[in-house]
Amino acid sequence: MEKFAIGRQIRRSFPDEAQRQSPKKIKNKLELYSDEDVKDDDEDDNDEFSHPVPWRKMEAEGLDCDYALLFSKEEASHLFKQLEEEVSYSTGEESMVQIFGKMYNIPRKQATYGDAGLTYTYSGVKRLACPWTPTLEYIRDAVTKTTGQTFNFVLVNRYKDGQDHMGEHRDDEKELDPPGPIASVSLGAARDFIFRHRDARGKQSCRQIDPVKLELAHGSLLLMNPPTNTFWYHSLPVRKKVLLPRINLTFRRLLLGSKK
């Protein structure tokens, strides 16, 4: 498996939000590291991190992603605590998914927030967006200032520990604006995130294409640009050694036609 290890930390607080830069302005090729390289790099400062948000580019056939540490460790921890107080997660039927006609409990907590009247259909269940909370608005605005992209909806997933997970899927719902990227903000425990090409899945796979794996760090932002979701599935597998919770926010741009 091809592993993109992103274990370096920024050892300084971010400047004023307005100084955060777009990935269009900073697009470094994502370098490939061994575990030992990452361990050594954590010991030293690097000029690469002199920018407010140092973007790393990750590319493969049909895969185009940008990765950065958006929030300092202290700010990310504060935002995590605020979300723990503000976010109300789905219960009942809205906390389930439909797979081959049967309903199953989602192996994590989930909530939807966004602009008034927006709805999002995911795995056979339609979800109405709750009004933005102050912290979700703050994070959304930080993502917009950093990427230059606007978002009107966010899917919140809370993983209590490494047992909670997300199965392999693509974000290809009809409500999504096709040319729009999906911005994924991670807070809490670092978790492995795996991409798998659609032609290399299952026993009937027709091509040999290595999966791509990266670790999503506390305070990080992953920008999944088109056509990534057309060709690559992604998942957050079980990691039994992870004992702490994680909150993930995937900011999306829904078409206005998805309003009630």
Side-chain angles (χ1 to χ4, degrees):
M1 178 180 292
E2 193 171 3
K3 182 177 181 180
F4 291 87
I6 310 178
R8 297 176 177 179
Q9 298 293 320
I10 297 177
R11 295 172 174 82
R12 57 181 65 87
S13 299
F14 287 115
D16 184 83
E17 287 180 316
Q19 297 180 34
R20 292 181 171 135
Q21 300 184 32
S22 165
K24 294 178 181 177
K25 298 178 181 177
I26 305 174
K27 278 201 171 185
N28 298 325
K29 283 281 186 182
L30 185 66
E31 299 169 25
L32 195 61
Y33 298 100
S34 69
D35 291 340
E36 285 302 314
D37 291 332
V38 174
K39 200 174 295 182
D40 292 340
D41 283 339
D42 283 343
E43 303 298 325
D44 304 309
D45 284 324
N46 191 302
D47 291 339
E48 186 179 60
F49 293 106
S50 60
H51 299 289
V53 177
W55 287 94
R56 295 296 195 92
K57 170 63 72 176
M58 184 170 70
E59 292 178 305
E61 180 183 326
L63 186 146
D64 180 358
C65 294
D66 296 287
Y67 179 90
L69 290 177
L70 178 61
F71 299 111
S72 67
K73 182 178 179 180
E74 293 75 17
E75 186 175 10
S77 296
H78 173 72
L79 293 171
F80 183 94
K81 291 180 180 178
Q82 291 297 110
L83 292 176
E84 290 284 73
E85 297 176 5
E86 294 179 6
V87 175
S88 297
Y89 293 96
S90 300
T91 58
E93 189 175 289
E94 284 198 347
S95 65
M96 306 180 77
V97 292
Q98 183 174 317
I99 302 175
F100 299 117
K102 293 185 178 181
M103 302 300 292
Y104 297 89
N105 289 321
I106 299 174
R108 59 194 177 276
K109 288 186 177 180
Q110 203 165 66
T112 50
Y113 287 81
D115 292 353
L118 283 176
T119 60
Y120 184 65
T121 303
Y122 170 72
S123 295
V125 178
K126 181 176 287 188
R127 293 169 171 82
L128 178 66
C130 298
W132 294 99
T133 74
T135 303
L136 288 174
E137 280 191 325
Y138 174 83
I139 298 173
R140 178 202 64 196
D141 292 346
V143 172
T144 292
K145 289 176 182 177
T146 303
T147 64
Q149 298 286 340
T150 58
F151 303 92
N152 57 11
F153 180 87
V154 63
L155 180 65
V156 184
N157 283 293
R158 186 187 189 278
Y159 303 83
K160 69 179 185 300
D161 55 30
Q163 296 283 1
D164 280 4
H165 60 281
M166 176 181 64
E168 205 169 71
H169 71 286
R170 289 184 296 172
D171 296 322
D172 57 356
E173 289 75 19
K174 62 181 180 180
E175 296 98 333
L176 293 173
D177 186 12
I182 293 176
S184 175
V185 174
S186 297
L187 302 169
R191 292 288 296 268
D192 289 337
F193 192 74
I194 298 176
F195 286 101
R196 192 182 305 276
H197 196 281
R198 67 181 185 184
D199 294 342
R201 299 176 69 244
K203 296 178 180 179
Q204 304 299 320
S205 60
C206 58
R207 300 176 63 195
Q208 288 275 344
I209 303 175
D210 288 339
V212 174
K213 172 184 172 183
L214 65 153
E215 184 181 76
L216 300 178
H218 183 40
S220 66
L221 167 63
L222 175 67
L223 196 65
M224 293 184 283
N225 306 301
T228 301
N229 269 300
T230 300
F231 297 101
W232 291 79
Y233 286 70
H234 56 270
S235 64
L236 193 90
V238 170
R239 291 291 182 262
K240 294 181 180 179
K241 292 183 179 180
V242 176
L243 304 178
L244 298 176
R246 170 183 183 261
I247 295 176
N248 177 248
L249 313 171
T250 49
F251 291 91
R252 302 142 190 266
R253 188 159 63 237
L254 302 191
L255 299 171
L256 294 180
S258 61
K259 283 191 175 185
K260 260 191 171 183

